[in-house]
Amino acid sequence: MIFDKLLRLKPLEQLMESREESPGHLKRVLGPWALTSLGIGSIIGAGIFALTGLAASKAGPGIMLSFVIAAMACAFAGFCYAEFASMIPVAGSAYTYAYATLGEMMAWLVGWNLLLEYAVGNSAVASSWGGYFNNLLAFFNFQIPPQFLGAPNGHGNIINLPALLIVLIITWLLARGIQESSKANNVMVIVKLAIILFFIGLGGMFVKPMNWQPFMPHGFSGVMAGAGLVFFAFIGFDAVSTTAEECKDPGRNLPRGILFSLGICTLIYAAVALVVTGMLKYTELGKQADPLAYIFTQHGLNGWAGVISFGAIIATTAALLVYQVGQPRIFMSMSRDGLLSPWFGKVSKKHGTPGNATFLTGCIVAIPAALLNISEVVELTNIGTLFAFSLVCCGVMILRARRPEATRRFRMPWVWVTAPLGILFCIWLAKGLPAITWYRFFAWLLLGLLVYFVYGFRNSALHDKREKA
């Protein structure tokens, strides 16, 4: 008990009470397939269309193994998320799980770092969306003036207009309601899966087995380097857990949504890698920003290459939508706990969404995407996500030891093996990031601690209850 007070741990029962005591409730409308679709929408983004060529240049045809290894790393964290989601069906994802196991300050830091994954990362995705959109227009002999594409180009760039517009549209859609957003995501998931399956089917007719030789040209170290790259094509499944208060029977459906989406995406990624490296020699893929479309043009399928570029836009749009689902719900959970102003936690009576937090997230994403070149800080997204993953893996072991009697509708298998492996994978991947990323990460943590002690520590709901007691 003293340990709990020192760390400001929030008991499981109190986490559930905080939802019931909140002034507004989200609408429970999402079933298992809607959750799986949200997971696929967030995972299959621009990564499969952009990273495959670069990863293949390092791993060769062995990129298929790279995808499997990266999927295993995500699966370890995914199992941990699934167990937590079945125990604590409350919006907030890793932030909420850390509150129950590692204490208030660590929970704040997790929430602070999730801002990197969902907001900073989404700004980068929105910026790339503008580029994909312009590439698609090129097939129709139309180009957006360079000054409205935002990237430094010597043309007096003003604003990334496509990025700004897509973020505003998505923000409006999310404010309308989770059911409407889920339906839009379902349509985009169907379209992008159809295009990817079309790529696999048509591309398979042009596969030359000789291109798979040698299978691992740079040895297993090349396969592991490829895994480090494609790992980030799997990030996004954790966003499913932020919808805990909007799904039916969360203890049963959340684990299914997380694990089904990971499994489906792994199979799709491996199949795409097989076709990509079979259609063209891996040495020709490293410098291509849009390798899937490029491969089709090399086989004289120029018209179909435009379809692939359209698929990249749909995939990126779906990823933008799901990431922007996650961040407002984390803001809302932090607001309920007193770590942010009550303004962040207000739920729209008409639409049943965290309206204030949704519009704020839209601004946080739109302004950098429209006005700044943020490519240099994108790796902060990666390290922030790995930080959250590792703490969730740590937290599930702590809760197994401290609360073995707690109800778990999903229990991750071999917890004392899989959870440590999840932590080790996160450390290994983070170790490969540049030193400047680590410096920026520590600066971000210090800024987060400053905000916590200036506002969150004194205004915490947990602190107020204990003061009254």
Side-chain angles (χ1 to χ4, degrees), residues 142-210:
F142 182 80
Q143 291 279 276
I144 297 173
Q147 60 266 35
F148 295 114
L149 285 175
N153 46 37
H155 294 280
N157 51 295
I158 302 171
I159 188 172
N160 190 330
L161 188 59
L164 176 63
L165 292 177
I166 191 62
V167 172
L168 292 178
I169 291 169
I170 286 175
T171 301
W172 172 81
L173 178 61
L174 291 173
R176 296 281 299 171
I178 189 63
Q179 192 165 23
E180 291 79 0
S181 303
S182 176
K183 288 177 180 178
N185 177 70
N186 290 343
V187 172
M188 287 188 285
V189 166
I190 291 170
V191 171
K192 70 180 175 182
L193 286 182
I195 290 173
I196 290 173
L197 292 175
F198 166 78
F199 171 84
I200 293 170
L202 182 59
M205 299 169 62
F206 295 88
V207 165
K208 296 179 180 178
M210 67 180 70

Side-chain angles (χ1 to χ4, degrees), residues 35-260:
L35 293 168
T36 301
S37 180
L38 282 174
I40 295 172
S42 60
I43 295 171
I44 302 181
I48 186 64
F49 293 91
L51 284 178
T52 309
L54 182 59
S57 70
K58 296 180 180 294
I63 186 179
M64 289 174 279
L65 296 179
S66 298
F67 274 115
V68 172
I69 292 169
M72 288 173 59
C74 285
F76 295 140
F79 278 125
C80 295
Y81 271 91
E83 179 166 322
F84 266 129
S86 73
M87 292 180 67
I88 314 173
V90 177
S93 187
Y95 158 77
T96 301
Y97 310 151
Y99 215 146
T101 56
L102 299 168
E104 185 176 271
M105 188 173 73
M106 290 304 294
W108 165 265
L109 289 177
V110 169
W112 185 251
N113 281 295
L114 287 176
L115 185 63
L116 292 175
E117 178 183 357
Y118 292 124
V120 176
N122 230 20
S123 294
V125 174
S127 296
S128 67
W129 189 94
Y132 283 119
F133 184 69
N134 196 44
N135 290 342
L136 179 65
L137 292 179
F139 284 98
F140 302 98
N141 297 316
F142 182 80
Q143 291 279 276
I144 297 173
Q147 60 266 35
F148 295 114
L149 285 175
N153 46 37
H155 294 280
N157 51 295
I158 302 171
I159 188 172
N160 190 330
L161 188 59
L164 176 63
L165 292 177
I166 191 62
V167 172
L168 292 178
I169 291 169
I170 286 175
T171 301
W172 172 81
L173 178 61
L174 291 173
R176 296 281 299 171
I178 189 63
Q179 192 165 23
E180 291 79 0
S181 303
S182 176
K183 288 177 180 178
N185 177 70
N186 290 343
V187 172
M188 287 188 285
V189 166
I190 291 170
V191 171
K192 70 180 175 182
L193 286 182
I195 290 173
I196 290 173
L197 292 175
F198 166 78
F199 171 84
I200 293 170
L202 182 59
M205 299 169 62
F206 295 88
V207 165
K208 296 179 180 178
M210 67 180 70
N211 287 332
W212 291 327
Q213 300 297 330
F215 187 69
M216 294 191 295
H218 304 296
F220 193 68
S221 60
V223 170
M224 294 303 287
L229 279 172
V230 301
F231 172 83
F232 303 109
F234 284 94
I235 288 177
F237 67 86
D238 52 311
V240 175
S241 61
T242 66
T243 64
E245 295 178 28
E246 292 156 291
C247 67
K248 307 167 187 174
D249 194 4
R252 172 176 174 267
N253 291 334
L254 275 176
R256 291 186 175 190
I258 291 169
L259 298 176
F260 284 177

Side-chain angles (χ1 to χ4, degrees), residues 129-466:
W129 189 94
Y132 283 119
F133 184 69
N134 196 44
N135 290 342
L136 179 65
L137 292 179
F139 284 98
F140 302 98
N141 297 316
F142 182 80
Q143 291 279 276
I144 297 173
Q147 60 266 35
F148 295 114
L149 285 175
N153 46 37
H155 294 280
N157 51 295
I158 302 171
I159 188 172
N160 190 330
L161 188 59
L164 176 63
L165 292 177
I166 191 62
V167 172
L168 292 178
I169 291 169
I170 286 175
T171 301
W172 172 81
L173 178 61
L174 291 173
R176 296 281 299 171
I178 189 63
Q179 192 165 23
E180 291 79 0
S181 303
S182 176
K183 288 177 180 178
N185 177 70
N186 290 343
V187 172
M188 287 188 285
V189 166
I190 291 170
V191 171
K192 70 180 175 182
L193 286 182
I195 290 173
I196 290 173
L197 292 175
F198 166 78
F199 171 84
I200 293 170
L202 182 59
M205 299 169 62
F206 295 88
V207 165
K208 296 179 180 178
M210 67 180 70
N211 287 332
W212 291 327
Q213 300 297 330
F215 187 69
M216 294 191 295
H218 304 296
F220 193 68
S221 60
V223 170
M224 294 303 287
L229 279 172
V230 301
F231 172 83
F232 303 109
F234 284 94
I235 288 177
F237 67 86
D238 52 311
V240 175
S241 61
T242 66
T243 64
E245 295 178 28
E246 292 156 291
C247 67
K248 307 167 187 174
D249 194 4
R252 172 176 174 267
N253 291 334
L254 275 176
R256 291 186 175 190
I258 291 169
L259 298 176
F260 284 177
S261 58
L262 265 176
I264 292 169
C265 292
T266 300
L267 292 174
I268 290 171
Y269 281 177
V272 169
L274 185 72
V275 173
V276 165
T277 53
M279 288 182 71
L280 207 63
K281 197 69 176 176
Y282 72 92
T283 52
E284 299 180 45
L285 296 171
K287 296 181 180 180
Q288 303 305 321
D290 196 353
L292 273 62
Y294 172 76
I295 289 170
F296 269 28
T297 60
Q298 293 302 296
H299 285 274
L301 303 170
N302 294 349
W304 294 117
V307 175
I308 301 301
S309 293
F310 176 70
I313 290 175
I314 296 296
T316 308
T317 306
L320 278 168
L321 186 146
V322 180
Y323 275 123
Q324 279 190 235
V325 165
Q327 184 60 57
R329 283 144 185 83
I330 293 170
F331 279 150
M332 183 185 72
S333 293
M334 297 173 82
S335 172
R336 284 176 181 170
D337 296 328
L339 301 184
L340 290 175
S341 163
W343 182 88
F344 289 86
K346 288 184 179 179
V347 176
S348 167
K349 293 180 180 179
K350 181 178 181 181
H351 301 296
T353 58
N356 291 348
T358 297
F359 285 114
L360 177 64
T361 299
C363 293
I364 293 173
V365 173
I367 293 171
L371 301 176
L372 303 176
N373 177 20
I374 59 171
S375 60
E376 292 183 359
V377 296
V378 168
E379 285 177 326
L380 271 175
T381 299
N382 301 337
I383 199 169
T385 304
L386 291 169
F387 178 79
F389 280 10
S390 59
L391 290 186
V392 169
C393 291
C394 182
V396 80
M397 292 188 290
I398 292 173
L399 215 53
R400 282 288 186 99
R402 297 185 73 243
R403 295 291 303 273
E405 83 290 351
T407 302
R408 293 169 172 84
R409 295 184 65 184
F410 175 85
R411 295 177 69 89
M412 68 178 294
W414 309 299
V415 63
W416 302 107
V417 176
T418 49
L421 281 174
I423 296 170
L424 289 174
F425 264 105
C426 289
I427 293 172
W428 170 70
L429 289 165
K431 186 180 176 183
L433 294 170
I436 187 64
T437 300
W438 282 95
Y439 298 146
R440 288 168 175 161
F441 177 64
F442 287 127
W444 178 256
L445 288 181
L446 289 174
L447 179 60
L449 287 172
L450 177 64
V451 175
Y452 171 69
F453 284 112
V454 167
Y455 183 89
F457 182 81
R458 293 185 299 171
N459 292 280
S460 164
L462 202 59
H463 174 71
D464 289 345
K465 285 186 178 181
R466 286 176 178 166

